[in-house]
Amino acid sequence: MFNRQRLFHSKSAKLALAAIIGFSFFMIAIPGAGATGYSFTDSLRAFFSVGYGLTSGTTVKQGVATAPAEDFSNPDVSTTFVISQAYGGGGGTTGTYMHDYVELKNISSGPQSLSGLVLMYGSAAGQFGSTSTNIYALANVTVGPGKYYLVQLSNPGTGGTALPVPPDEITTNLNMSGTNGKVALVTSSFPGNTCGSTAAPCPLPNANIIDLVAWGTANNAEGGAATNGGASLTSVQGNVRKNNGCADTDNNDADFDIITGPIPRNTGSQAIGCDGGPTPTPTATGSTTPTPTPTPTGSPTPPPTISGVVISQVYGGGGNTGAPLTNDFVELYNPGTTAVTLDGGSIQYSSATGSAWSNITPLTGTIQPGGYFLVQQGGGANGGPLPTPDIIGMINMGSTAGKVALVNDITALTGACPTGAPIVDLVGYGVTANCFEGTGPAPAPSNTTSDHRGDNGCIDTNNNAGDFAIFDPAPRNSS
């Protein structure tokens, strides 16, 4: 491009040169522009920058100079949504889940709409949205502050299980690689199959790219650093943004953890605010920090309350030799007279003598009065399927001994025998369990038997030894 300050400071010099070049300049076009319809006068004006005032960044099309396009479609790029999880191990024979998924998070302090936003996938060295099946336009849905939004992707594989929480949106597009790949959340103004390859990476930052995560050996990562330090992932691993989805330094490797058996979250999961947005569940001290959904009086939203619900059945032999069922499970029961929401709660597991409670299944949904709620867990190759579970987790429970807790939040318990308000119910089972309610643990089950709470779940004397007995597993769900 030419700049009027660069050449020919006097108008007389310009006119003299015009006379010399004359008609020879008739069809000269600015580099990159077509010559069609471009007049001699236009050529001179373009050459001398007379009348157009061309500067760096101005574009030219068919001989007409136009100002650079300004994007008004997303004025809050990188302050509204981020990709909080990306899992590409589905769709095959060895993944944790049968489907790929992308989890989004609203990191702002107010509700945000997904209208006009698009997911685009690119192979490790390929273009974003190289084919129509690598593009998916999101629904016109509003997501609350601190909330998550789960998009199930790809065709189902033969390995793994269904996603542990219901997806908010489903598409068979975006069959992502579990080992090396990249996915971007973009505006509808972002054209597919134009950048992202090794030869033509997308320039970052980009006003039409809201967020981008590249994993393994993929190029075009934020900060030039793909997750996992550039090493390939496995089909059971996923990219999980740190700090509950809030970490965002525009460096993929720094912002994401690689988690084996990642747990996706949906709009029913507990909202967790980021800096400048809503805060997590308030403490018992009565903090007045604003929360995502304030009550009409403006007071903080209370923590989830799952009062009265009990663990009614525990089975850890799923899939083992001789097992009648493929999966482990925990069954809940509501002996009360009103429905209880499980949103924001969790099932947590520790080995019989362990002190780590890092095996967590977040809960969402409602358990009706007198109703059951089935939480499917890990399993093996033997046995038949459970009735349709209400929630699916990935905990591999001990078949003869272990500890299971129903907890009022998703924060991991600590210690071999935790106590306190977050615990709604706890069952230690098997003779080696070092934590239990009452005088002793529930009796030891096996690959073929489970622990049942007496009277169809109604017996609750806070004594695991007396409240439970051994029977054949008979899981019951909300239906």
Side-chain angles (χ1 to χ4, degrees):
M1 298 293 181
F2 291 91
N3 188 292
R4 67 178 60 170
Q5 300 300 322
R6 189 175 300 173
L7 296 173
F8 304 107
H9 293 278
S10 72
K11 290 184 179 180
S12 59
K14 292 181 179 180
L15 293 174
L17 184 60
I20 295 171
I21 63 174
F23 189 76
S24 64
F25 208 75
F26 180 73
M27 294 298 289
I28 289 179
I30 295 173
T36 303
Y38 204 76
S39 70
F40 172 63
T41 304
D42 291 332
S43 297
L44 291 177
R45 285 181 174 175
F47 181 74
F48 295 121
S49 300
V50 175
Y52 291 127
L54 299 180
T55 57
S56 176
T58 303
T59 59
V60 177
K61 183 176 183 181
Q62 294 294 318
V64 178
T66 59
E70 185 173 357
D71 176 36
F72 295 97
S73 60
N74 190 50
D76 296 320
V77 172
S78 300
T79 61
T80 53
F81 289 102
V82 295
I83 296 171
S84 49
Q85 288 194 42
Y87 170 75
T93 60
T94 60
T96 300
Y97 302 115
M98 292 187 293
H99 290 272
D100 299 344
Y101 70 83
V102 166
E103 176 195 280
L104 305 176
K105 180 180 176 68
N106 176 2
I107 61 172
S108 78
S109 58
Q112 298 291 340
S113 174
L114 293 168
S115 177
L117 300 186
V118 180
L119 289 175
M120 283 194 189
Y121 173 70
S123 63
Q127 307 271 63
F128 284 102
S130 58
T131 66
S132 60
T133 56
N134 282 340
I135 301 173
Y136 179 67
L138 295 163
N140 183 6
V141 174
T142 297
V143 181
K147 282 284 193 177
Y148 304 91
Y149 191 83
L150 180 60
V151 185
Q152 177 179 291
L153 308 170
S154 76
N155 290 303
T158 57
T161 64
L163 298 182
V165 294
D168 297 300
E169 199 162 337
I170 296 174
T171 176
T172 56
N173 282 7
L174 276 69
N175 286 282
M176 306 194 305
S177 168
T179 53
N180 311 288
K182 53 185 181 278
V183 65
L185 176 66
V186 302
T187 73
S188 57
S189 298
F190 183 85
N193 200 27
T194 57
C195 66
S197 66
T198 302
C202 300
L204 299 175
N206 187 314
N208 286 314
I209 297 178
I210 310 301
D211 196 29
L212 183 159
V213 56
W215 58 94
T217 62
N219 69 331
N220 220 162
E222 285 190 353
T227 69
N228 208 30
S232 299
L233 277 63
T234 70
S235 62
V236 297
Q237 294 177 318
N239 304 283
V240 179
R241 189 179 289 273
K242 297 177 181 178
N243 193 22
N244 294 307
C246 294
D248 189 14
T249 66
D250 289 333
N251 182 302
N252 287 161
D253 191 40
D255 291 340
F256 283 84
D257 286 323
I258 305 304
I259 303 296
T260 298
I263 305 287
R265 294 156 291 194
N266 63 7
T267 50
S269 302
Q270 182 182 20
I272 300 178
C274 303
D275 292 343
T279 59
T281 302
T283 64
T285 59
S287 168
T288 57
T289 305
T291 59
T293 52
T295 64
T297 60
S299 61
T301 300
T305 302
I306 313 177
S307 176
V309 178
V310 297
I311 296 171
S312 52
Q313 196 175 162
V314 175
Y315 175 63
N320 295 344
T321 302
L325 296 169
T326 305
N327 290 89
D328 302 342
F329 68 85
V330 175
E331 178 194 274
L332 306 178
Y333 177 67
N334 178 7
T337 58
T338 59
V340 176
T341 180
L342 300 173
D343 293 357
S346 62
I347 294 292
Q348 300 192 22
Y349 174 81
S350 180
S351 62
T353 59
S355 58
W357 294 79
S358 56
N359 297 291
I360 300 173
T361 301
L363 296 176
T364 184
T366 300
I367 182 168
Q368 299 299 322
Y372 300 92
F373 192 91
L374 183 58
V375 185
Q376 176 178 297
Q377 299 292 0
N382 298 304
L386 274 65
T388 303
D390 297 293
I391 287 287
I392 298 176
M394 299 299 298
I395 300 173
N396 290 303
M397 299 162 50
S399 59
T400 59
K403 299 175 293 196
V404 179
L406 172 62
V407 185
N408 241 334
D409 57 35
I410 58 174
T411 302
L413 299 172
T414 57
C417 196
T419 59
I423 298 177
V424 181
D425 195 24
L426 185 146
V427 177
Y429 62 95
V431 293
T432 59
N434 62 5
C435 186
F436 41 79
E437 288 185 351
T439 61
S446 67
N447 290 351
T448 60
T449 59
S450 63
D451 270 304
H452 290 240
R453 187 179 290 275
D455 194 15
N456 291 311
C458 291
I459 299 297
D460 186 16
T461 65
N462 292 321
N463 183 1
N464 290 165
D467 291 344
F468 284 85
I470 298 297
F471 292 98
D472 291 340
R476 295 160 288 195
N477 61 16
S478 59
S479 298

